[in-house]
Amino acid sequence: MRTAKVKQKISNCFRSIGGATAYARIAGFISTIRKMNRNIIQTIESVLQGSFQWAT
């Protein structure tokens, strides 16, 4: 919650609910990737290429 409020304070507001939702999803994904000690850039590239899979 804190990072979203900081982002909102810096940019004044989110332009839409969709924008706020997209920001929260991306921030949550990056946070999870960090906790898993994975390379963020490589993981995002694999998502965009459609080859990303969660390790089970």
Side-chain angles (χ1 to χ4, degrees), residues 30-39 52-55:
I30 291 173
S31 173
T32 301
I33 295 304
R34 281 187 182 142
K35 290 175 187 176
M36 295 173 69
N37 291 322
R38 295 179 73 174
N39 186 308
F52 176 75
Q53 291 183 350
W54 289 107

Side-chain angles (χ1 to χ4, degrees), residues 2-55:
R2 183 172 187 270
T3 58
K5 291 304 279 184
V6 170
K7 168 75 172 145
Q8 185 178 8
K9 184 177 180 181
I10 290 171
S11 65
N12 241 3
C13 65
F14 288 104
R15 301 243 179 216
S16 67
I17 296 296
T21 302
Y23 174 78
R25 292 185 94 184
I26 294 168
F29 180 77
I30 291 173
S31 173
T32 301
I33 295 304
R34 281 187 182 142
K35 290 175 187 176
M36 295 173 69
N37 291 322
R38 295 179 73 174
N39 186 308
I40 297 168
I41 300 298
Q42 288 177 350
T43 304
I44 291 173
E45 285 177 349
S46 69
V47 167
L48 295 175
Q49 293 172 354
S51 62
F52 176 75
Q53 291 183 350
W54 289 107

